[in-house]
PDB file of all heavy atoms in Angstrom:
ATOM      1  N   VAL A   1     -16.315   9.672  -5.501  1.00 84.00           N
ATOM      2  CA  VAL A   1     -15.586   8.634  -4.790  1.00 84.00           C
ATOM      3  C   VAL A   1     -14.363   8.273  -5.630  1.00 84.00           C
ATOM      4  O   VAL A   1     -14.480   7.621  -6.666  1.00 84.00           O
ATOM      5  CB  VAL A   1     -16.476   7.381  -4.570  1.00 84.00           C
ATOM      6  CG1 VAL A   1     -15.704   6.312  -3.829  1.00 84.00           C
ATOM      7  CG2 VAL A   1     -17.753   7.754  -3.832  1.00 84.00           C
ATOM      8  N   ALA A   2     -13.216   8.738  -5.202  1.00 89.00           N
ATOM      9  CA  ALA A   2     -11.988   8.454  -5.952  1.00 89.00           C
ATOM     10  C   ALA A   2     -11.601   6.992  -5.772  1.00 89.00           C
ATOM     11  O   ALA A   2     -11.855   6.397  -4.723  1.00 89.00           O
ATOM     12  CB  ALA A   2     -10.866   9.352  -5.465  1.00 89.00           C
ATOM     13  N   GLY A   3     -11.028   6.420  -6.794  1.00 94.00           N
ATOM     14  CA  GLY A   3     -10.543   5.050  -6.682  1.00 94.00           C
ATOM     15  C   GLY A   3     -11.203   4.110  -7.668  1.00 94.00           C
ATOM     16  O   GLY A   3     -11.489   4.481  -8.815  1.00 94.00           O
ATOM     17  N   PHE A   4     -11.443   2.900  -7.221  1.00 94.00           N
ATOM     18  CA  PHE A   4     -11.906   1.812  -8.076  1.00 94.00           C
ATOM     19  C   PHE A   4     -13.167   2.154  -8.847  1.00 94.00           C
ATOM     20  O   PHE A   4     -13.220   1.987 -10.064  1.00 94.00           O
ATOM     21  CB  PHE A   4     -12.132   0.561  -7.210  1.00 94.00           C
ATOM     22  CG  PHE A   4     -12.534  -0.647  -7.995  1.00 94.00           C
ATOM     23  CD1 PHE A   4     -11.576  -1.459  -8.567  1.00 94.00           C
ATOM     24  CD2 PHE A   4     -13.869  -0.982  -8.150  1.00 94.00           C
ATOM     25  CE1 PHE A   4     -11.945  -2.587  -9.291  1.00 94.00           C
ATOM     26  CE2 PHE A   4     -14.247  -2.101  -8.875  1.00 94.00           C
ATOM     27  CZ  PHE A   4     -13.274  -2.903  -9.450  1.00 94.00           C
ATOM     28  N   THR A   5     -14.215   2.612  -8.165  1.00 94.00           N
ATOM     29  CA  THR A   5     -15.487   2.856  -8.853  1.00 94.00           C
ATOM     30  C   THR A   5     -15.373   3.997  -9.856  1.00 94.00           C
ATOM     31  O   THR A   5     -15.999   3.955 -10.910  1.00 94.00           O
ATOM     32  CB  THR A   5     -16.639   3.126  -7.867  1.00 94.00           C
ATOM     33  OG1 THR A   5     -16.338   4.260  -7.065  1.00 94.00           O
ATOM     34  CG2 THR A   5     -16.892   1.914  -6.984  1.00 94.00           C
ATOM     35  N   GLU A   6     -14.577   4.983  -9.549  1.00 93.00           N
ATOM     36  CA  GLU A   6     -14.360   6.088 -10.486  1.00 93.00           C
ATOM     37  C   GLU A   6     -13.578   5.601 -11.706  1.00 93.00           C
ATOM     38  O   GLU A   6     -13.952   5.850 -12.852  1.00 93.00           O
ATOM     39  CB  GLU A   6     -13.605   7.217  -9.794  1.00 93.00           C
ATOM     40  CG  GLU A   6     -13.270   8.365 -10.718  1.00 93.00           C
ATOM     41  CD  GLU A   6     -12.329   9.364 -10.074  1.00 93.00           C
ATOM     42  OE1 GLU A   6     -11.481   8.971  -9.258  1.00 93.00           O
ATOM     43  OE2 GLU A   6     -12.451  10.544 -10.420  1.00 93.00           O
ATOM     44  N   LYS A   7     -12.509   4.870 -11.450  1.00 94.00           N
ATOM     45  CA  LYS A   7     -11.628   4.402 -12.525  1.00 94.00           C
ATOM     46  C   LYS A   7     -12.355   3.497 -13.516  1.00 94.00           C
ATOM     47  O   LYS A   7     -12.179   3.607 -14.724  1.00 94.00           O
ATOM     48  CB  LYS A   7     -10.441   3.657 -11.924  1.00 94.00           C
ATOM     49  CG  LYS A   7      -9.460   3.129 -12.938  1.00 94.00           C
ATOM     50  CD  LYS A   7      -8.279   2.458 -12.271  1.00 94.00           C
ATOM     51  CE  LYS A   7      -7.296   1.940 -13.306  1.00 94.00           C
ATOM     52  NZ  LYS A   7      -6.147   1.298 -12.675  1.00 94.00           N
ATOM     53  N   TYR A   8     -13.203   2.603 -13.004  1.00 95.00           N
ATOM     54  CA  TYR A   8     -13.873   1.627 -13.858  1.00 95.00           C
ATOM     55  C   TYR A   8     -15.328   1.971 -14.160  1.00 95.00           C
ATOM     56  O   TYR A   8     -16.065   1.149 -14.676  1.00 95.00           O
ATOM     57  CB  TYR A   8     -13.759   0.233 -13.240  1.00 95.00           C
ATOM     58  CG  TYR A   8     -12.333  -0.244 -13.207  1.00 95.00           C
ATOM     59  CD1 TYR A   8     -11.588  -0.193 -12.031  1.00 95.00           C
ATOM     60  CD2 TYR A   8     -11.703  -0.692 -14.365  1.00 95.00           C
ATOM     61  CE1 TYR A   8     -10.267  -0.603 -11.999  1.00 95.00           C
ATOM     62  CE2 TYR A   8     -10.379  -1.108 -14.346  1.00 95.00           C
ATOM     63  CZ  TYR A   8      -9.666  -1.059 -13.156  1.00 95.00           C
ATOM     64  OH  TYR A   8      -8.356  -1.463 -13.140  1.00 95.00           O
ATOM     65  N   ASN A   9     -15.746   3.190 -13.818  1.00 94.00           N
ATOM     66  CA  ASN A   9     -17.109   3.664 -14.092  1.00 94.00           C
ATOM     67  C   ASN A   9     -18.171   2.704 -13.531  1.00 94.00           C
ATOM     68  O   ASN A   9     -19.097   2.300 -14.222  1.00 94.00           O
ATOM     69  CB  ASN A   9     -17.312   3.891 -15.585  1.00 94.00           C
ATOM     70  CG  ASN A   9     -18.481   4.797 -15.865  1.00 94.00           C
ATOM     71  OD1 ASN A   9     -18.781   5.703 -15.087  1.00 94.00           O
ATOM     72  ND2 ASN A   9     -19.167   4.561 -16.954  1.00 94.00           N
ATOM     73  N   VAL A  10     -18.001   2.339 -12.281  1.00 96.00           N
ATOM     74  CA  VAL A  10     -18.893   1.407 -11.597  1.00 96.00           C
ATOM     75  C   VAL A  10     -19.891   2.224 -10.785  1.00 96.00           C
ATOM     76  O   VAL A  10     -19.554   2.758  -9.731  1.00 96.00           O
ATOM     77  CB  VAL A  10     -18.084   0.440 -10.701  1.00 96.00           C
ATOM     78  CG1 VAL A  10     -18.997  -0.495  -9.939  1.00 96.00           C
ATOM     79  CG2 VAL A  10     -17.091  -0.338 -11.528  1.00 96.00           C
ATOM     80  N   ASN A  11     -21.121   2.347 -11.299  1.00 95.00           N
ATOM     81  CA  ASN A  11     -22.105   3.198 -10.617  1.00 95.00           C
ATOM     82  C   ASN A  11     -23.548   2.720 -10.800  1.00 95.00           C
ATOM     83  O   ASN A  11     -24.480   3.455 -10.537  1.00 95.00           O
ATOM     84  CB  ASN A  11     -21.960   4.650 -11.068  1.00 95.00           C
ATOM     85  CG  ASN A  11     -22.183   4.809 -12.547  1.00 95.00           C
ATOM     86  OD1 ASN A  11     -22.888   4.038 -13.187  1.00 95.00           O
ATOM     87  ND2 ASN A  11     -21.574   5.837 -13.115  1.00 95.00           N
ATOM     88  N   LYS A  12     -23.721   1.501 -11.241  1.00 97.00           N
ATOM     89  CA  LYS A  12     -25.063   0.944 -11.466  1.00 97.00           C
ATOM     90  C   LYS A  12     -25.424   0.066 -10.276  1.00 97.00           C
ATOM     91  O   LYS A  12     -24.825  -0.995 -10.056  1.00 97.00           O
ATOM     92  CB  LYS A  12     -25.049   0.129 -12.769  1.00 97.00           C
ATOM     93  CG  LYS A  12     -26.362  -0.485 -13.142  1.00 97.00           C
ATOM     94  CD  LYS A  12     -26.213  -1.137 -14.525  1.00 97.00           C
ATOM     95  CE  LYS A  12     -26.958  -2.419 -14.614  1.00 97.00           C
ATOM     96  NZ  LYS A  12     -26.763  -3.094 -15.899  1.00 97.00           N
ATOM     97  N   LEU A  13     -26.387   0.503  -9.492  1.00 98.00           N
ATOM     98  CA  LEU A  13     -26.818  -0.243  -8.305  1.00 98.00           C
ATOM     99  C   LEU A  13     -27.688  -1.418  -8.738  1.00 98.00           C
ATOM    100  O   LEU A  13     -28.771  -1.227  -9.295  1.00 98.00           O
ATOM    101  CB  LEU A  13     -27.616   0.670  -7.371  1.00 98.00           C
ATOM    102  CG  LEU A  13     -28.188   0.017  -6.113  1.00 98.00           C
ATOM    103  CD1 LEU A  13     -27.062  -0.438  -5.180  1.00 98.00           C
ATOM    104  CD2 LEU A  13     -29.126   0.988  -5.404  1.00 98.00           C
ATOM    105  N   VAL A  14     -27.219  -2.636  -8.477  1.00 98.00           N
ATOM    106  CA  VAL A  14     -27.985  -3.813  -8.884  1.00 98.00           C
ATOM    107  C   VAL A  14     -28.464  -4.650  -7.703  1.00 98.00           C
ATOM    108  O   VAL A  14     -29.297  -5.546  -7.868  1.00 98.00           O
ATOM    109  CB  VAL A  14     -27.196  -4.703  -9.872  1.00 98.00           C
ATOM    110  CG1 VAL A  14     -27.031  -3.993 -11.205  1.00 98.00           C
ATOM    111  CG2 VAL A  14     -25.865  -5.140  -9.299  1.00 98.00           C
ATOM    112  N   TYR A  15     -27.960  -4.341  -6.497  1.00 98.00           N
ATOM    113  CA  TYR A  15     -28.380  -5.118  -5.323  1.00 98.00           C
ATOM    114  C   TYR A  15     -28.102  -4.306  -4.066  1.00 98.00           C
ATOM    115  O   TYR A  15     -27.094  -3.599  -3.976  1.00 98.00           O
ATOM    116  CB  TYR A  15     -27.601  -6.441  -5.250  1.00 98.00           C
ATOM    117  CG  TYR A  15     -27.997  -7.281  -4.073  1.00 98.00           C
ATOM    118  CD1 TYR A  15     -29.138  -8.066  -4.111  1.00 98.00           C
ATOM    119  CD2 TYR A  15     -27.251  -7.265  -2.901  1.00 98.00           C
ATOM    120  CE1 TYR A  15     -29.526  -8.817  -3.023  1.00 98.00           C
ATOM    121  CE2 TYR A  15     -27.621  -8.018  -1.805  1.00 98.00           C
ATOM    122  CZ  TYR A  15     -28.754  -8.795  -1.863  1.00 98.00           C
ATOM    123  OH  TYR A  15     -29.144  -9.527  -0.776  1.00 98.00           O
ATOM    124  N   ALA A  16     -28.997  -4.432  -3.088  1.00 98.00           N
ATOM    125  CA  ALA A  16     -28.776  -3.807  -1.775  1.00 98.00           C
ATOM    126  C   ALA A  16     -29.560  -4.577  -0.722  1.00 98.00           C
ATOM    127  O   ALA A  16     -30.640  -5.094  -0.995  1.00 98.00           O
ATOM    128  CB  ALA A  16     -29.229  -2.350  -1.787  1.00 98.00           C
ATOM    129  N   GLU A  17     -28.988  -4.662   0.446  1.00 97.00           N
ATOM    130  CA  GLU A  17     -29.703  -5.215   1.594  1.00 97.00           C
ATOM    131  C   GLU A  17     -29.539  -4.252   2.758  1.00 97.00           C
ATOM    132  O   GLU A  17     -28.544  -3.539   2.847  1.00 97.00           O
ATOM    133  CB  GLU A  17     -29.255  -6.624   1.973  1.00 97.00           C
ATOM    134  CG  GLU A  17     -27.886  -7.034   1.673  1.00 97.00           C
ATOM    135  CD  GLU A  17     -27.586  -8.486   2.038  1.00 97.00           C
ATOM    136  OE1 GLU A  17     -27.161  -8.716   3.175  1.00 97.00           O
ATOM    137  OE2 GLU A  17     -27.732  -9.347   1.164  1.00 97.00           O
ATOM    138  N   GLU A  18     -30.517  -4.257   3.637  1.00 97.00           N
ATOM    139  CA  GLU A  18     -30.584  -3.293   4.734  1.00 97.00           C
ATOM    140  C   GLU A  18     -30.569  -4.017   6.071  1.00 97.00           C
ATOM    141  O   GLU A  18     -31.153  -5.087   6.216  1.00 97.00           O
ATOM    142  CB  GLU A  18     -31.873  -2.483   4.590  1.00 97.00           C
ATOM    143  CG  GLU A  18     -32.084  -1.417   5.619  1.00 97.00           C
ATOM    144  CD  GLU A  18     -33.366  -0.625   5.374  1.00 97.00           C
ATOM    145  OE1 GLU A  18     -34.177  -1.031   4.529  1.00 97.00           O
ATOM    146  OE2 GLU A  18     -33.552   0.381   6.058  1.00 97.00           O
ATOM    147  N   THR A  19     -29.904  -3.406   7.050  1.00 97.00           N
ATOM    148  CA  THR A  19     -29.898  -3.918   8.417  1.00 97.00           C
ATOM    149  C   THR A  19     -29.769  -2.741   9.379  1.00 97.00           C
ATOM    150  O   THR A  19     -29.281  -1.676   8.988  1.00 97.00           O
ATOM    151  CB  THR A  19     -28.746  -4.926   8.649  1.00 97.00           C
ATOM    152  OG1 THR A  19     -28.791  -5.395  10.002  1.00 97.00           O
ATOM    153  CG2 THR A  19     -27.395  -4.295   8.385  1.00 97.00           C
ATOM    154  N   SER A  20     -30.197  -2.928  10.602  1.00 96.00           N
ATOM    155  CA  SER A  20     -30.027  -1.873  11.606  1.00 96.00           C
ATOM    156  C   SER A  20     -28.742  -2.072  12.410  1.00 96.00           C
ATOM    157  O   SER A  20     -28.402  -1.251  13.253  1.00 96.00           O
ATOM    158  CB  SER A  20     -31.231  -1.849  12.553  1.00 96.00           C
ATOM    159  OG  SER A  20     -31.356  -3.109  13.203  1.00 96.00           O
ATOM    160  N   ASP A  21     -28.014  -3.140  12.132  1.00 97.00           N
ATOM    161  CA  ASP A  21     -26.806  -3.491  12.875  1.00 97.00           C
ATOM    162  C   ASP A  21     -25.561  -3.241  12.024  1.00 97.00           C
ATOM    163  O   ASP A  21     -25.328  -3.939  11.036  1.00 97.00           O
ATOM    164  CB  ASP A  21     -26.899  -4.960  13.277  1.00 97.00           C
ATOM    165  CG  ASP A  21     -25.715  -5.449  14.089  1.00 97.00           C
ATOM    166  OD1 ASP A  21     -24.701  -4.720  14.221  1.00 97.00           O
ATOM    167  OD2 ASP A  21     -25.788  -6.587  14.605  1.00 97.00           O
ATOM    168  N   VAL A  22     -24.769  -2.253  12.408  1.00 97.00           N
ATOM    169  CA  VAL A  22     -23.576  -1.913  11.637  1.00 97.00           C
ATOM    170  C   VAL A  22     -22.601  -3.083  11.577  1.00 97.00           C
ATOM    171  O   VAL A  22     -21.959  -3.321  10.549  1.00 97.00           O
ATOM    172  CB  VAL A  22     -22.890  -0.636  12.167  1.00 97.00           C
ATOM    173  CG1 VAL A  22     -22.308  -0.836  13.556  1.00 97.00           C
ATOM    174  CG2 VAL A  22     -21.814  -0.158  11.195  1.00 97.00           C
ATOM    175  N   HIS A  23     -22.493  -3.835  12.656  1.00 97.00           N
ATOM    176  CA  HIS A  23     -21.566  -4.971  12.673  1.00 97.00           C
ATOM    177  C   HIS A  23     -22.019  -6.062  11.712  1.00 97.00           C
ATOM    178  O   HIS A  23     -21.183  -6.682  11.027  1.00 97.00           O
ATOM    179  CB  HIS A  23     -21.409  -5.517  14.092  1.00 97.00           C
ATOM    180  CG  HIS A  23     -20.901  -4.483  15.055  1.00 97.00           C
ATOM    181  ND1 HIS A  23     -19.615  -3.980  14.991  1.00 97.00           N
ATOM    182  CD2 HIS A  23     -21.512  -3.851  16.079  1.00 97.00           C
ATOM    183  CE1 HIS A  23     -19.458  -3.081  15.946  1.00 97.00           C
ATOM    184  NE2 HIS A  23     -20.595  -2.972  16.620  1.00 97.00           N
ATOM    185  N   ALA A  24     -23.315  -6.277  11.632  1.00 97.00           N
ATOM    186  CA  ALA A  24     -23.853  -7.259  10.681  1.00 97.00           C
ATOM    187  C   ALA A  24     -23.600  -6.802   9.247  1.00 97.00           C
ATOM    188  O   ALA A  24     -23.252  -7.613   8.385  1.00 97.00           O
ATOM    189  CB  ALA A  24     -25.348  -7.466  10.919  1.00 97.00           C
ATOM    190  N   ALA A  25     -23.753  -5.512   8.995  1.00 98.00           N
ATOM    191  CA  ALA A  25     -23.513  -4.974   7.647  1.00 98.00           C
ATOM    192  C   ALA A  25     -22.051  -5.154   7.252  1.00 98.00           C
ATOM    193  O   ALA A  25     -21.749  -5.588   6.134  1.00 98.00           O
ATOM    194  CB  ALA A  25     -23.908  -3.501   7.576  1.00 98.00           C
ATOM    195  N   LEU A  26     -21.149  -4.836   8.149  1.00 98.00           N
ATOM    196  CA  LEU A  26     -19.721  -4.973   7.847  1.00 98.00           C
ATOM    197  C   LEU A  26     -19.325  -6.434   7.659  1.00 98.00           C
ATOM    198  O   LEU A  26     -18.533  -6.763   6.763  1.00 98.00           O
ATOM    199  CB  LEU A  26     -18.884  -4.326   8.953  1.00 98.00           C
ATOM    200  CG  LEU A  26     -19.008  -2.802   9.040  1.00 98.00           C
ATOM    201  CD1 LEU A  26     -18.348  -2.279  10.314  1.00 98.00           C
ATOM    202  CD2 LEU A  26     -18.425  -2.135   7.812  1.00 98.00           C
ATOM    203  N   ALA A  27     -19.893  -7.317   8.477  1.00 98.00           N
ATOM    204  CA  ALA A  27     -19.606  -8.749   8.336  1.00 98.00           C
ATOM    205  C   ALA A  27     -20.145  -9.281   7.011  1.00 98.00           C
ATOM    206  O   ALA A  27     -19.484 -10.077   6.329  1.00 98.00           O
ATOM    207  CB  ALA A  27     -20.214  -9.525   9.506  1.00 98.00           C
ATOM    208  N   ARG A  28     -21.340  -8.825   6.627  1.00 98.00           N
ATOM    209  CA  ARG A  28     -21.926  -9.264   5.361  1.00 98.00           C
ATOM    210  C   ARG A  28     -21.087  -8.773   4.173  1.00 98.00           C
ATOM    211  O   ARG A  28     -20.864  -9.509   3.212  1.00 98.00           O
ATOM    212  CB  ARG A  28     -23.362  -8.753   5.260  1.00 98.00           C
ATOM    213  CG  ARG A  28     -24.081  -9.125   4.000  1.00 98.00           C
ATOM    214  CD  ARG A  28     -24.356 -10.602   3.913  1.00 98.00           C
ATOM    215  NE  ARG A  28     -25.312 -10.833   2.834  1.00 98.00           N
ATOM    216  CZ  ARG A  28     -25.512 -11.988   2.252  1.00 98.00           C
ATOM    217  NH1 ARG A  28     -24.853 -13.054   2.654  1.00 98.00           N
ATOM    218  NH2 ARG A  28     -26.381 -12.105   1.278  1.00 98.00           N
ATOM    219  N   GLU A  29     -20.620  -7.531   4.242  1.00 98.00           N
ATOM    220  CA  GLU A  29     -19.765  -7.001   3.184  1.00 98.00           C
ATOM    221  C   GLU A  29     -18.514  -7.865   3.030  1.00 98.00           C
ATOM    222  O   GLU A  29     -18.146  -8.264   1.912  1.00 98.00           O
ATOM    223  CB  GLU A  29     -19.360  -5.558   3.490  1.00 98.00           C
ATOM    224  CG  GLU A  29     -18.391  -4.988   2.472  1.00 98.00           C
ATOM    225  CD  GLU A  29     -17.690  -3.726   2.943  1.00 98.00           C
ATOM    226  OE1 GLU A  29     -17.491  -3.564   4.166  1.00 98.00           O
ATOM    227  OE2 GLU A  29     -17.324  -2.911   2.084  1.00 98.00           O
ATOM    228  N   LYS A  30     -17.854  -8.180   4.142  1.00 98.00           N
ATOM    229  CA  LYS A  30     -16.646  -9.008   4.094  1.00 98.00           C
ATOM    230  C   LYS A  30     -16.951 -10.388   3.536  1.00 98.00           C
ATOM    231  O   LYS A  30     -16.181 -10.933   2.738  1.00 98.00           O
ATOM    232  CB  LYS A  30     -16.026  -9.123   5.485  1.00 98.00           C
ATOM    233  CG  LYS A  30     -15.337  -7.865   5.936  1.00 98.00           C
ATOM    234  CD  LYS A  30     -14.745  -8.029   7.311  1.00 98.00           C
ATOM    235  CE  LYS A  30     -14.143  -6.710   7.770  1.00 98.00           C
ATOM    236  NZ  LYS A  30     -13.591  -6.795   9.118  1.00 98.00           N
ATOM    237  N   GLU A  31     -18.075 -10.949   3.950  1.00 98.00           N
ATOM    238  CA  GLU A  31     -18.483 -12.268   3.456  1.00 98.00           C
ATOM    239  C   GLU A  31     -18.683 -12.234   1.936  1.00 98.00           C
ATOM    240  O   GLU A  31     -18.152 -13.087   1.212  1.00 98.00           O
ATOM    241  CB  GLU A  31     -19.786 -12.690   4.142  1.00 98.00           C
ATOM    242  CG  GLU A  31     -20.402 -13.954   3.603  1.00 98.00           C
ATOM    243  CD  GLU A  31     -21.793 -14.218   4.142  1.00 98.00           C
ATOM    244  OE1 GLU A  31     -22.445 -13.286   4.670  1.00 98.00           O
ATOM    245  OE2 GLU A  31     -22.245 -15.363   4.009  1.00 98.00           O
TER     246      GLU A  31
END
């Protein structure tokens, strides 16, 4: 993944949430 995560070596998963609704996922990301 080129860009921010590559440049700053950001690859440690510390949190995740799951939903079946893509719109809810996108809204949560923006929030």
